[in-house]
Amino acid sequence: MDLMVEVSPRRVFANGHTYHINSISVNSDCETYMSADDLRINLWHLAITDRSFNIVDIKPANMEDLTEVITASEFHPHHCNLFVYSSSKGSLRLCDMRAAALCDKHSKLFEEPEDPSNRSFFSEIISSVSDVKFSHSGRYMLTRDYLTVKVWDLNMEARPIETYQVHDYLRSKLCSLYENDCIFDKFECAWNGSDSVIMTGAYNNFFRMFDRNTKRDVTLEASRESSKPRAVLKPRRVCVGGKRRRDDISVDSLDFTKKILHTAWHPAENIIAIAATNNLYIFQDKVNSEMH
């Protein structure tokens, strides 16, 4: 018979949020977890389903004074008292639960100063952080905004130590991406097990990988046509005017309805999971003879 996978809830936790939950993170103490929505972050105990503690609340007394929302949050992988949350203004706030019960005052604020020469109507929208992930070592943070992924050192708040362009060729198309609402897409990012390679999604079922050591990057495609079992993925290239190679795809023929928002990397092995619309692709770097 075909293998059938069923999901059955083990516990249902009380309705602790007014707005959509954008992230959930389990603490390294393996006893608590947090859930975040646009304005609040709640701390839960895994064994207590009917109540939670509010640890961050950025809701202003008058909602007209609201200037930013929480976009993602995550616990530190080793220190159970530390967590980070990102905002729609492009900032990261590192909080310490030992300092106060309500973490409205952050321990560190990570924010890159804006380059006035690049200022445009879309600057604020594209600087919104859609995902934040601690490295496995706990030393770095990875963030994704609309056009870039950035690596931050926890000891350096002023600016990221690395910035990688995901699809810089879209910078000239921000107007049409605003009109079709794509500019509000929330892409995730992921580290590999050794924190040496980072991965994130893009349009046209493309996903990007950046090697932090060699500074090389690659664009790959997750699609039914190119993903037959055991087939090797060929690097893809988007061409912006000028000379075009045979396999290049023009920036004007990209399909913006095909977007890879969710990606995950196995914690120990080079196996990745890519969610493309209603398909889940699993790739590995070397085909293992026991794997089917």
Side-chain angles (χ1 to χ4, degrees), residues 40-100:
R40 293 191 179 101
I41 300 176
N42 292 338
L43 181 69
W44 303 78
H45 193 284
L46 286 163
I48 302 168
T49 60
D50 59 349
R51 66 181 182 274
S52 61
F53 292 99
N54 181 227
I55 52 173
V56 173
D57 187 348
I58 64 165
K59 185 176 182 180
N62 182 356
M63 283 295 273
E64 288 180 7
D65 298 332
L66 185 70
T67 57
E68 62 183 332
V69 294
I70 298 165
T71 54
S73 63
E74 191 180 52
F75 270 120
H76 191 279
H78 310 306
H79 303 298
C80 60
N81 54 296
L82 294 179
F83 69 93
V84 67
Y85 70 90
S86 58
S87 88
S88 56
K89 275 198 164 173
S91 58
L92 305 169
R93 289 176 175 86
L94 187 73
C95 301
D96 188 344
M97 291 194 292
R98 291 179 304 190

Side-chain angles (χ1 to χ4, degrees), residues 12 20 26 34 73 87 109 161 170 186 190 194 196 199 201 213 223 227 238 249 280:
V12 177
H20 290 301
V26 179
M34 67 178 175
S73 63
S87 88
L109 175 68
I161 56 167
L170 296 183
K186 292 175 169 45
S194 61
S196 60
M199 171 174 65
N213 299 325
S223 69
S227 309
V238 177
I249 180 164
L280 178 66

Side-chain angles (χ1 to χ4, degrees), residues 14 35 44 47 51 58 79 96 101 124-125 132-133 163 174 186:
S35 56
W44 303 78
R51 66 181 182 274
I58 64 165
H79 303 298
D96 188 344
E124 202 165 299
I125 303 171
V132 58
K133 292 273 173 33
T163 299
L174 293 177
K186 292 175 169 45

Side-chain angles (χ1 to χ4, degrees), residues 8-281:
S8 56
R10 302 283 292 276
R11 293 188 189 103
V12 177
F13 291 84
N15 187 354
H17 289 275
T18 312
Y19 307 97
H20 290 301
I21 295 169
N22 57 43
S23 49
I24 287 176
S25 177
V26 179
N27 201 343
S28 59
D29 63 11
C30 295
E31 289 184 1
T32 56
Y33 75 93
M34 67 178 175
S35 56
D37 66 24
D38 283 358
L39 301 178
R40 293 191 179 101
I41 300 176
N42 292 338
L43 181 69
W44 303 78
H45 193 284
L46 286 163
I48 302 168
T49 60
D50 59 349
R51 66 181 182 274
S52 61
F53 292 99
N54 181 227
I55 52 173
V56 173
D57 187 348
I58 64 165
K59 185 176 182 180
N62 182 356
M63 283 295 273
E64 288 180 7
D65 298 332
L66 185 70
T67 57
E68 62 183 332
V69 294
I70 298 165
T71 54
S73 63
E74 191 180 52
F75 270 120
H76 191 279
H78 310 306
H79 303 298
C80 60
N81 54 296
L82 294 179
F83 69 93
V84 67
Y85 70 90
S86 58
S87 88
S88 56
K89 275 198 164 173
S91 58
L92 305 169
R93 289 176 175 86
L94 187 73
C95 301
D96 188 344
M97 291 194 292
R98 291 179 304 190
L102 192 65
C103 301
D104 284 357
K105 292 186 173 63
H106 48 269
S107 304
K108 289 187 174 184
L109 175 68
F110 299 83
E111 206 167 31
E112 188 172 23
E114 189 186 30
D115 182 354
S117 63
N118 283 340
R119 179 96 187 125
S120 76
F121 172 76
F122 306 108
S123 295
E124 202 165 299
I125 303 171
I126 63 172
S127 67
S128 174
V129 175
S130 56
D131 195 20
V132 58
K133 292 273 173 33
F134 278 107
S135 63
H136 295 83
S137 68
R139 169 77 189 269
Y140 304 104
M141 294 181 297
L142 176 64
T143 61
R144 170 72 204 259
D145 57 42
Y146 192 65
L147 294 177
T148 65
V149 276
K150 294 171 181 167
V151 176
W152 300 78
D153 188 319
L154 256 63
N155 301 321
M156 196 171 111
E157 297 167 67
R159 56 178 45 82
I161 56 167
E162 297 161 29
T163 299
Y164 301 95
Q165 300 295 333
V166 178
H167 37 209
D168 202 44
Y169 46 77
L170 296 183
R171 205 173 281 277
S172 61
K173 300 207 163 295
L174 293 177
C175 197
S176 55
L177 290 162
Y178 178 77
E179 286 167 3
N180 65 13
D181 279 350
C182 283
I183 203 167
F184 301 107
D185 286 335
K186 292 175 169 45
F187 292 95
E188 292 175 4
C189 50
W191 296 91
N192 73 337
S194 61
D195 299 334
S196 60
V197 182
I198 53 185
M199 171 174 65
T200 191
Y203 291 106
N204 210 69
N205 278 357
F206 289 167
F207 59 99
R208 304 269 282 133
M209 286 185 175
F210 303 92
D211 189 312
R212 298 180 60 211
N213 299 325
T214 64
K215 301 301 176 194
R216 290 195 312 199
D217 63 275
V218 67
T219 302
L220 300 168
E221 183 180 6
S223 69
R224 287 194 164 181
E225 297 75 47
S226 64
S227 309
K228 297 189 170 57
R230 297 178 186 274
V232 177
L233 290 180
K234 286 191 192 134
R236 302 300 308 267
R237 219 175 71 104
V238 177
C239 103
V240 190
K243 270 193 161 181
R244 189 169 156 191
R245 286 188 244 166
R246 194 164 60 90
D247 291 336
D248 284 2
I249 180 164
S250 157
V251 68
D252 295 317
S253 55
L254 292 172
D255 188 343
F256 293 107
T257 62
K258 293 178 177 173
K259 52 192 90 168
I260 291 175
L261 304 178
H262 311 290
T263 59
W265 206 309
H266 190 285
E269 296 177 49
N270 267 341
I271 300 174
I272 58 172
I274 307 286
T277 323
N278 58 346
N279 297 312
L280 178 66
Y281 297 91

